[in-house]
Amino acid sequence: MNKYIIEKLKEGRSNANLKQSEVAKKLGVKANTLSNYENGVSEPDIDTFCALCDIYKLDPSDILGEAYGLSVQGESFKIKPSEIDHIKKYRNLDPHGKEIIEIILQKELERSTAEQKPESKSPSTTAEIIPMRFLSYYQKMAPAGRGEYLFSDIPTEVIAVPDTPLSRKADFVIVVNGRSMEDTYFDGDKVLVEKAHDVPIGAIGIFIRGTECFIKEVGEDRLISHNENKEQYPDIIPDERGIDTIGIVLGKVGD
């Protein structure tokens, strides 16, 4: 008998606080007959199964659907009610949530496929499975050159990045907006950031001045733009407004 049905019948009797002998008496069968049902030695006919569900207050259609699946028109596979619940949840996700689920599903599919077929592995044919981790993601938090409002006015999302020693040090990911750090970082680059109160000279960090946020290299007396066009992308010299340090840039996502 189907293992799922066996477990549901055992669970149903237990939840109903009934002994096998008590249920057997209600059904008009021998006690060892019920024991055989619960041990998978034999299985009840459909009438007996429905009678057991009635005694245990179970829905027979739900149990049979979960045990054997429901036919899907035009497909060769069957789907279970619990899988339908997952599909409903997936449909209620926003595009970003669906993207995260797709990433996880693809990585887990690659991992499980590789584990199930170890004999087929070879350096030339087996795709590398890259573990992932998730970080807070600010799409417009770190403009390179022009300042923008940040944190309180910008919603945080989540992004999947390769799980590497570098990404494990990062606290969040931000996107470079602008050209002031070319040719080190370009507009649209996603960079890993580790929170820090101080950034050493020569390193690149994320900084705030007033309501402006910048990605710059730390110099002796200024924050340096890498773009050679200093007229359009000038360095930032500290003034009475002060400059706060947010963190140190570790590198681009995927490096």
Side-chain angles (χ1 to χ4, degrees):
M1 188 163 65
N2 183 282
K3 290 183 179 180
Y4 181 79
I5 294 178
I6 293 173
E7 291 304 316
K8 293 305 292 185
L9 290 179
K10 287 181 179 179
E11 180 183 305
R13 184 173 60 79
S14 176
N15 291 339
N17 293 315
L18 293 171
K19 297 178 180 179
Q20 286 184 349
S21 58
E22 293 173 326
V23 177
K25 185 175 181 180
K26 289 177 181 288
L27 288 176
V29 299
K30 296 179 180 180
N32 67 331
T33 299
L34 192 68
S35 176
N36 287 339
Y37 293 160
E38 294 188 1
N39 290 314
V41 175
S42 61
E43 59 181 79
D45 58 34
I46 188 64
D47 291 334
T48 304
F49 171 73
C50 289
L52 285 169
C53 288
D54 186 55
I55 294 171
Y56 301 153
K57 301 189 185 309
L58 300 174
D59 188 327
S61 60
D62 282 351
I63 294 175
L64 291 175
E66 190 67 30
Y68 298 110
L70 308 173
S71 296
V72 179
Q73 187 175 2
E75 299 291 345
S76 61
F77 63 86
K78 294 185 177 182
I79 190 168
K80 296 181 178 181
S82 60
E83 294 170 334
I84 293 175
D85 289 339
H86 291 315
I87 293 171
K88 289 178 180 178
K89 292 176 183 177
Y90 178 82
R91 287 183 175 180
N92 286 326
L93 295 174
D94 61 15
H96 179 71
K98 290 180 179 178
E99 181 183 1
I100 296 299
I101 295 301
E102 291 293 342
I103 291 172
I104 295 173
L105 283 175
Q106 184 59 36
K107 294 301 178 185
E108 284 302 297
L109 178 61
E110 292 172 358
R111 179 191 60 77
S112 60
T113 300
E115 288 181 354
Q116 291 170 14
K117 299 181 179 180
E119 71 282 355
S120 65
K121 295 180 182 179
S122 70
S124 59
T125 60
T126 303
E128 181 183 2
I129 300 174
I130 303 174
M132 308 295 284
R133 67 187 304 261
F134 298 94
L135 291 171
S136 297
Y137 176 44
Y138 298 90
Q139 293 191 40
K140 298 181 180 179
M141 188 181 132
R146 295 184 178 181
E148 292 185 14
Y149 294 93
L150 71 159
F151 291 130
S152 61
D153 295 327
I154 297 178
T156 304
E157 297 183 14
V158 176
I159 188 173
V161 302
D163 186 4
T164 64
L166 196 65
S167 70
R168 290 185 205 120
K169 294 174 61 179
D171 293 299
F172 56 87
V173 173
I174 54 178
V175 174
V176 175
N177 295 309
R179 300 180 55 191
S180 76
M181 290 302 287
E182 294 182 358
D183 289 332
T184 305
Y185 294 114
F186 293 85
D187 182 50
D189 281 348
K190 297 180 180 69
V191 294
L192 299 162
V193 181
E194 180 183 12
K195 293 179 182 178
H197 294 296
D198 296 296
V199 176
I201 292 175
I204 296 173
I206 306 299
F207 306 92
I208 296 176
R209 182 176 65 182
T211 57
E212 295 178 317
C213 181
F214 303 94
I215 174 172
K216 301 288 183 187
E217 178 187 333
V218 177
E220 291 285 351
D221 61 350
R222 65 189 65 203
L223 299 179
I224 302 170
S225 297
H226 284 192
N227 194 306
E228 294 181 358
N229 187 345
K230 294 296 184 180
E231 184 175 344
Q232 187 173 357
Y233 304 102
D235 297 341
I236 297 176
I237 300 175
D239 55 25
E240 65 277 0
R241 288 174 290 177
I243 295 176
D244 294 323
T245 301
I246 297 299
I248 184 169
V249 174
L250 304 174
K252 287 191 289 188
V253 171
D255 283 354

